[in-house]
Amino acid sequence: MGPVPTAIVFAGGDPPTSTAIRDLPAPAVVLAADSGLDHAHALGIAVDVVVGDLDSVDPDVLDAARRAGAMVERHPAAKDATDLELALLAAHDRGAAEVLVVGGHGGRLDHFLANALLLAAPVFADLRIRARIGDAEITVVRDHAELSAAPGALCSLLPVGGPAEGVRTEGLRFPLARETLFPGSTRGVSNEFVTATATVTLERGVLLAVLPEPRKDS
């Protein structure tokens, strides 16, 4: 089996932290959601596709990206989706199987929460999505996920869109054995790695596995 097509999506908001940009995978395609292009440009990373209403990106950076061959998908300001959602849809349309979102922290709380929940949307059920937001890392878990962190690092499991059923964990201090986590409950908050790798599986539903602290060498 060949490598899985991976997309990196640079989101807007505050610039990515050094933690967020460490050890980025080799992507098949790089996309930017509006001012996410500014962040990619500052890192010297070429962007293949720019998506959004383009109300916050630096016009000079946008022109430079266009001259370098980037495809620009401009949407009206009165749109029905955030720029990040449009970028994820563009990654999906281009055949990505895995997506890493970089950035997207800072700014409005409602915008941040909407984009965090967006990662678990049913329309992206066939994607494996991770996000590095500030110093935190989020992994969407629909069936099975392997997480890596130094022993002692925190991990919270948050159900989205309904109960997460049959949740099992290995490598965390407080194990779950085919348990149900309900939205609004804090049952899955502040677990802790006891080994460098932990696994999370579930039988039904969706979880956001959140590692809230800066990553350390495991």
Side-chain angles (χ1 to χ4, degrees):
M1 180 182 294
V4 175
T6 299
I8 294 179
V9 175
F10 283 91
D14 292 344
T17 64
S18 58
T19 298
I21 61 175
R22 190 174 75 180
D23 300 329
L24 292 176
V29 62
V30 179
L31 303 96
D34 205 322
S35 62
L37 178 63
D38 295 334
H39 304 327
H41 177 76
L43 295 169
I45 296 175
V47 170
D48 301 298
V49 184
V50 186
V51 183
D53 56 19
L54 309 182
D55 64 342
S56 55
V57 66
D58 185 319
D60 292 336
V61 174
L62 180 61
D63 288 343
R66 186 182 284 112
R67 290 194 302 271
M71 179 179 295
V72 178
E73 297 183 3
R74 184 186 292 270
H75 294 258
K79 58 189 188 303
D80 295 328
T82 64
D83 294 326
L84 179 57
E85 181 173 358
L86 295 172
L88 289 175
L89 289 169
H92 185 273
D93 291 345
R94 284 163 175 78
E98 295 187 352
V99 177
L100 173 61
V101 176
V102 177
H105 67 301
R108 286 169 38 184
L109 177 61
D110 58 340
H111 205 158
F112 169 77
L113 291 174
N115 281 336
L117 295 173
L118 167 69
L119 303 176
V123 68
F124 302 124
D126 58 342
L127 296 179
R128 292 196 172 271
I129 298 180
R130 292 181 297 134
R132 296 178 183 176
I133 301 175
D135 286 329
E137 182 162 333
I138 300 174
T139 299
V140 180
V141 187
R142 297 182 184 276
D143 44 29
H144 171 89
E146 186 173 284
L147 311 173
S148 298
L154 295 176
C155 175
S156 291
L157 302 177
L158 307 177
V160 178
E165 302 177 9
V167 181
R168 291 172 289 177
T169 64
E170 295 182 8
L172 297 178
R173 182 171 302 280
F174 309 108
L176 300 175
R178 299 192 66 185
E179 298 187 38
T180 298
L181 298 180
F182 294 94
S185 168
T186 57
R187 174 76 174 85
V189 173
S190 295
N191 214 322
E192 184 179 312
F193 282 78
V194 292
T195 59
T197 301
T199 59
V200 180
T201 61
L202 70 160
E203 297 171 1
R204 187 177 295 105
V206 185
L207 288 170
L208 295 182
V210 182
L211 280 59
E213 302 172 318
R215 291 180 299 153
K216 300 176 181 178
D217 292 334
S218 57

